Amino acid sequence: MPQFINDPTLPKPDFPGSHMVVDDHYVFISGLTIADIADDIPATLDTAEQTRRVMRELERMLRQEELGWTDVVRVDIHLSDLAEIHKLDGVYAEFFEPGRYPARTCTESPKLSGTSRVEITLMASRAGQARTPPGTPRSDEDTGPE
């Protein structure tokens, strides 16, 4: 059964949606922009720096589910100006092993939230990872004397 999760470190979505949806097979993370991460982000941040900060936030969210970039199978990107795709690509590639890039779509969306230049959504596979209910110790945790 899917879990619908709102990250307490991010502002609550102002739309009917969740930051993450997690099931036994996948983790889906809703589109994140620089505006979603913090209110005090300078409007002068370029596409490369916005991409870096959004990717770091996505990485933090993946780690919460004990996943990493090698588990990401699909990424959807919206850029406010598609002419800046080379700036995005330079940073984006830093987060993945060369030759192991997820399937990706990138479109121009000139009306992103606030001064955001990039929005990134992803899907990661939980293959090989047994899902345990919240509060249940994992097999690698010390559960004390039996």
Side-chain angles (χ1 to χ4, degrees):
M1 173 177 268
Q3 294 179 351
F4 302 88
I5 301 168
N6 282 322
D7 188 308
T9 66
L10 297 174
K12 186 177 178 193
D14 60 358
F15 58 89
S18 301
H19 292 131
M20 289 194 295
V21 176
V22 177
D23 69 14
D24 290 338
H25 305 286
Y26 295 98
V27 171
F28 302 90
I29 301 180
S30 291
L32 279 182
T33 67
I34 202 75
D36 295 320
I37 297 171
D39 293 330
D40 60 348
I41 301 295
T44 57
L45 287 182
D46 68 3
T47 298
E49 188 55 31
Q50 285 194 19
T51 300
R52 184 169 286 106
R53 291 188 187 195
V54 169
M55 293 291 282
R56 285 181 185 149
E57 187 67 17
L58 289 167
E59 184 173 51
R60 182 191 64 77
M61 294 172 80
L62 285 167
R63 280 195 312 264
Q64 285 178 189
E65 294 301 318
E66 299 178 3
L67 298 173
W69 291 112
T70 57
D71 300 300
V72 175
V73 295
R74 179 170 175 83
V75 176
D76 294 315
I77 299 171
H78 303 282
L79 282 173
S80 61
D81 182 356
L82 203 51
E84 296 193 346
I85 194 168
H86 64 284
K87 293 179 182 177
L88 172 128
D89 284 342
V91 173
Y92 178 87
E94 295 172 10
F95 288 83
F96 297 97
E97 293 177 28
R100 293 189 49 100
Y101 302 109
R104 185 177 108 175
T105 299
C106 187
T107 61
E108 183 173 277
S109 301
K111 298 283 185 182
L112 296 176
S113 179
T115 60
S116 299
R117 297 170 186 255
V118 61
E119 179 175 12
I120 303 174
T121 303
L122 64 77
M123 180 173 101
S125 172
R126 298 178 68 84
Q129 191 182 57
R131 184 76 177 139
T132 56
T136 303
R138 295 186 316 266
S139 60
D140 63 338
E141 291 180 342
D142 182 14
T143 57
E146 294 187 15

